[in-house]
Amino acid sequence: MSNLFEQIKEQLANADKKIVFPEGRDERILTAASQLGAAGIVTPILLGDKQEIMQKAESAGVDVSACRLIDPHDFPEFDEMIDMFVKRRKGKVTAGEARQILLDENYFGTMLVYMDKADGLVSGAAHSTSDTVRPALQIIKTKDGIKKTSGVFIMVRNDEKYVFADCAINMSPDSQDLAEIAVESANTAKLFDVDPRIAMLSFSTKGSAQSEETEKMVNALELAKEKNPSLVIDGEFQFDAAFVPSVAAKKAPNAVIKGDANVFIFPSLEAGNIGYKIAQRLGEFEAVGPILQGLNKPVNDLSRGCSAEDVYNLALITAAQA
């Protein structure tokens, strides 16, 4: 794990990325931000009442002098932000409604990213996933050709690195969704120095069983190839056929993936969530994420049970995405 984040730090050298933390009064956020700022890796932006943030930092015994503090209530460009938000929401809110909405730190922080005042956002230590993701979908929005954001985990054990998706966002993705997830997961893999070899997972390998569920993965495979013909991708696979060369040789001898997949696309959120937790608890992999992908600019969601180390690591990932 340490090697992974050392690589990211090297990537970020002299990049001068700014990451906004809407939960600027949370002790875990303050601890991580102080470390990031002191190391000069990124510039943390902490949102909230400045005096309260300073008091919380002093109480926690951390130095936030290398961080930028912004209080939405006295932000000098707040009126400009309101105008831009109303335009971005295409008249769905009035200026008066926008003023109240943007006092919410998650909305305010997301607008800082949209306005290029910050390069990415990390939230969720004290908010739900929907509180973090909703402003991103309304303001940052997904990339052209991508209808939905998705969540991946980087699974790390010693020198091994694998990408599992979608394990966080989409409960019942259809073939189009799965194709998008595959394409974006390949891009995410490259950020972590993984040359993507993508397996579309199922309970069937190359037609050994047939059902609506298996057809969904077969269709997703074809759609993903259309979206990016350069992908190294195949399916549908049972996990052992995707991961074990001897099994692949028996079950799918003519497949592009020969038991050497490193990016795994699960057919549902249920399967993905169970799969990454089994690898984490039984396989002793460390799970880095969830990392949100498919957005125009990076926004990432913490667990409310996160540690300061989790905040630090996710901030590095967010800066790398930027």
Side-chain angles (χ1 to χ4, degrees), residues 56-73:
K56 291 272 188 180
E58 184 177 353
S59 176
V62 297
D63 180 6
V64 293
S65 59
C67 303
R68 184 182 176 195
L69 277 54
I70 298 179
D71 184 346
H73 290 86

Side-chain angles (χ1 to χ4, degrees), residues 129-208:
T129 295
S130 62
D131 288 336
T132 302
V133 175
R134 188 184 303 109
L137 293 176
Q138 292 178 357
I139 299 167
I140 303 296
K141 302 189 178 181
T142 54
K143 299 174 185 175
D144 288 343
I146 301 293
K147 293 182 179 179
K148 296 180 181 178
T149 187
S150 54
V152 307
F153 281 87
I154 310 299
M155 307 303 294
V156 183
R157 184 176 65 184
N158 300 322
D159 293 331
E160 296 177 84
K161 287 182 287 189
Y162 304 102
V163 178
F164 283 18
D166 176 356
C167 303
I169 302 293
N170 297 289
M171 286 187 284
S172 300
D174 61 21
S175 294
Q176 182 68 46
D177 298 333
L178 289 162
E180 291 178 359
I181 291 166
V183 172
E184 285 302 301
S185 295
N187 294 333
T188 299
K190 292 173 185 176
L191 282 177
F192 297 94
D193 200 28
V194 173
D195 186 16
R197 299 182 62 81
I198 308 164
M200 308 299 286
L201 297 180
S202 184
F203 59 82
S204 165
T205 297
K206 291 294 185 179
S208 63

Side-chain angles (χ1 to χ4, degrees), residues 30-45:
L30 290 168
T31 300
S34 69
Q35 294 169 346
L36 290 162
I41 302 169
V42 302
T43 300
I45 301 173

Side-chain angles (χ1 to χ4, degrees), residues 102-303:
L102 291 172
L103 290 176
D104 177 296
E105 281 99 346
N106 277 314
Y107 273 94
F108 182 90
T110 304
M111 279 300 295
L112 288 182
V113 177
Y114 177 66
M115 295 169 69
D116 293 326
K117 306 291 184 183
D119 298 293
L121 177 146
V122 173
S123 189
H127 291 88
S128 68
T129 295
S130 62
D131 288 336
T132 302
V133 175
R134 188 184 303 109
L137 293 176
Q138 292 178 357
I139 299 167
I140 303 296
K141 302 189 178 181
T142 54
K143 299 174 185 175
D144 288 343
I146 301 293
K147 293 182 179 179
K148 296 180 181 178
T149 187
S150 54
V152 307
F153 281 87
I154 310 299
M155 307 303 294
V156 183
R157 184 176 65 184
N158 300 322
D159 293 331
E160 296 177 84
K161 287 182 287 189
Y162 304 102
V163 178
F164 283 18
D166 176 356
C167 303
I169 302 293
N170 297 289
M171 286 187 284
S172 300
D174 61 21
S175 294
Q176 182 68 46
D177 298 333
L178 289 162
E180 291 178 359
I181 291 166
V183 172
E184 285 302 301
S185 295
N187 294 333
T188 299
K190 292 173 185 176
L191 282 177
F192 297 94
D193 200 28
V194 173
D195 186 16
R197 299 182 62 81
I198 308 164
M200 308 299 286
L201 297 180
S202 184
F203 59 82
S204 165
T205 297
K206 291 294 185 179
S208 63
Q210 291 187 332
S211 70
E212 289 183 9
E213 290 80 7
T214 61
E215 284 301 309
K216 179 175 76 169
M217 300 309 287
V218 172
N219 292 337
L221 171 66
E222 296 308 315
L223 289 167
K225 288 179 179 179
E226 290 175 13
K227 287 177 176 294
N228 185 349
S230 69
L231 290 177
V232 180
I233 184 171
D234 211 338
E236 86 285 14
F237 289 123
Q238 292 161 289
F239 184 84
D240 56 356
F243 190 68
V244 182
S246 61
V247 177
K250 293 176 182 178
K251 291 187 174 184
N254 299 318
V256 173
I257 300 295
K258 299 183 181 301
D260 54 357
N262 50 27
V263 177
F264 301 94
I265 308 303
F266 291 85
S268 67
L269 178 59
E270 183 176 45
N273 190 271
I274 291 169
Y276 101 79
K277 288 183 183 292
I278 288 174
Q280 183 182 38
R281 300 301 178 180
L282 294 183
E284 298 184 351
F285 279 84
E286 292 190 64
V288 180
I291 302 165
L292 300 187
Q293 57 185 20
L295 294 166
N296 280 305
K297 294 184 179 182
V299 170
N300 280 311
D301 178 44
L302 293 159
S303 163

